[in-house]
Amino acid sequence: RRNSLSLSAPPNLLDWQNDEHPQEKESKSSRYSRTSINLSKKALAKSLGDVLATTKTIASSSNSSIVMSASDRRRNIFESILRRVCQNDSSLTRLKLDGVLLEPSQWQRLFGALENNSSVEKLSLRNCQINDDILFHFIVCLVDNDTIKRVDLRDNLVSNDSALKLLKVIAK
């Protein structure tokens, strides 16, 4: 039996597994040992491509319809992830948001939630167009969070000065 996030997203958009189910662990890649959320650019493009191809998803209920655009779906996924981080979900130890482009306010909310989170150990933010201003909020997050052990910030828009500030915080 698979644990699932209660999202209205295509099932392949969120790839995660939980250690509590050893039979699934064997069938999945052995490199995942705990819950992992994968929102890589490739996964988003593949999953959201279906949504964008149809432009809108319409769910009918009696005489009324609910219309959800692709941007609404992305927002729902982000809110679900943020909720799990805020709730300090102990099964969420790896957060991979490679290629995900968020608004600065969304990054601030995520980093604010991670500041008090004690379960996320690995964070991958490759190619997210994170700039120095956004990195500042991440640095503040790391000052109070001693749980995050691995961070991948490759292919972002970070200056050398900001990278050095980040290294100083990590070195403490």
Side-chain angles (χ1 to χ4, degrees), residues 5-6 20 22 26 28 37-38 49 52-55 57 68-69 93 106-107 112 116 135 137 157-159 161 163:
L5 294 172
S6 54
E20 298 173 359
E26 294 172 5
K28 294 284 186 178
I37 294 179
N38 179 5
L52 295 175
T54 57
T55 310
T57 300
M68 183 176 284
S69 68
T93 59
Q106 291 175 307
W107 286 117
N116 300 312
L135 186 66
H137 294 285
L157 308 171
V158 177
S159 70
D161 290 338

Side-chain angles (χ1 to χ4, degrees), residues 82-102:
L82 185 63
R83 189 172 23 261
R84 287 188 67 191
V85 172
C86 287
Q87 292 172 347
N88 207 17
D89 183 343
S90 62
S91 65
L92 179 62
T93 59
R94 181 177 175 179
L95 185 57
K96 185 175 181 180
L97 298 170
D98 294 345
V100 175
L101 306 177
L102 299 176

Side-chain angles (χ1 to χ4, degrees), residues 22-111:
Q23 68 277 13
E24 286 188 15
K25 186 177 178 182
E26 294 172 5
S27 67
K28 294 284 186 178
S29 171
S30 61
R31 63 186 168 141
Y32 295 108
S33 60
R34 291 216 169 234
T35 299
S36 173
I37 294 179
N38 179 5
L39 280 180
S40 67
K41 189 174 184 178
K42 186 176 180 180
L44 278 173
K46 184 175 187 283
S47 299
L48 293 178
D50 298 335
V51 174
L52 295 175
T54 57
T55 310
K56 295 177 183 174
T57 300
I58 300 175
S60 296
S61 171
S62 306
N63 295 330
S64 63
S65 295
I66 300 171
V67 178
M68 183 176 284
S69 68
S71 63
D72 289 338
R73 285 181 177 268
R74 283 189 296 260
R75 191 172 19 261
N76 286 346
I77 293 167
F78 172 77
E79 292 299 328
S80 178
I81 292 168
L82 185 63
R83 189 172 23 261
R84 287 188 67 191
V85 172
C86 287
Q87 292 172 347
N88 207 17
D89 183 343
S90 62
S91 65
L92 179 62
T93 59
R94 181 177 175 179
L95 185 57
K96 185 175 181 180
L97 298 170
D98 294 345
V100 175
L101 306 177
L102 299 176
E103 297 293 322
S105 62
Q106 291 175 307
W107 286 117
Q108 289 175 6
R109 290 175 60 204
L110 178 63
F111 295 149

Side-chain angles (χ1 to χ4, degrees), residues 144-159:
D144 291 330
N145 183 309
D146 58 354
T147 307
I148 297 175
K149 303 296 182 201
R150 287 191 173 181
V151 177
D152 188 349
L153 287 167
R154 284 182 272 180
D155 303 322
N156 281 293
L157 308 171
V158 177
S159 70

Side-chain angles (χ1 to χ4, degrees), residues 116-132:
N116 300 312
N117 184 284
S118 61
S119 61
V120 175
E121 298 171 356
K122 297 177 183 177
L123 183 61
S124 183
L125 304 172
R126 296 175 64 179
N127 196 25
C128 293
Q129 295 185 3
I130 293 175
N131 59 25
D132 290 347

